[in-house]
Amino acid sequence: QVQLVESGGGLVQPGGSLRLSCAASGSIGRVSRMDWYRQAPGKERELVAVATSGGSANYADSVRGRFTVSRDNGRDVVSLQMNSLKPEDTAVYYCRAINAYGQNYWGQGTQVTVSS
């Protein structure tokens, strides 16, 4: 059984930092890509950052320059370093992994709240 487990969410003041991690386990196969999404209350889930197995990274315009995605290919772990957090970054953050067969796997989500 494949599992993606996120950790690292919490409450932080505006301007603060958090680091999220997501670890994949089970018979997931070769993971080609790991992404971070987020979903704020009343809004659609949006793509935040992409980390490919080739080492490239892409970001949503709203987080570029503040968030950094990194991936440990050997352990199928992806992290998201979030700096200069803003109240509008408040959301549930989800990790997604895609394997070489195009199968998608999602984590359960971790809450990030940015508030003074």
Side-chain angles (χ1 to χ4, degrees):
Q1 183 178 357
V2 175
Q3 278 191 314
L4 268 65
V5 179
E6 298 109 334
S7 61
L11 173 65
V12 64
Q13 292 186 344
S17 298
L18 281 175
R19 184 176 180 86
L20 307 181
S21 290
C22 171
S25 62
S27 301
I28 192 171
R30 185 173 65 85
V31 177
S32 60
R33 172 174 156 172
M34 297 188 80
D35 307 333
W36 284 100
Y37 281 75
R38 67 185 181 187
Q39 187 167 19
K43 295 188 177 181
E44 294 186 354
R45 191 172 295 189
E46 62 173 349
L47 180 62
V48 174
V50 175
T52 71
S53 59
S56 63
N58 292 294
Y59 301 93
D61 289 343
S62 58
V63 307
R64 187 174 291 112
R66 299 187 297 121
F67 289 11
T68 303
V69 64
S70 58
R71 183 172 162 190
D72 181 340
N73 289 332
R75 297 188 297 137
D76 288 333
V77 173
V78 64
S79 299
L80 186 68
Q81 177 66 41
M82 305 185 294
N83 298 328
S84 302
L85 283 161
K86 304 175 182 180
E88 51 263 43
D89 294 317
T90 296
V92 178
Y93 284 70
Y94 296 91
C95 170
R96 180 182 74 162
I98 303 175
N99 67 12
Y101 300 102
Q103 295 169 312
N104 286 243
Y105 299 93
W106 290 88
Q108 82 287 353
T110 185
Q111 177 70 46
V112 171
T113 302
V114 184
S115 174
S116 56

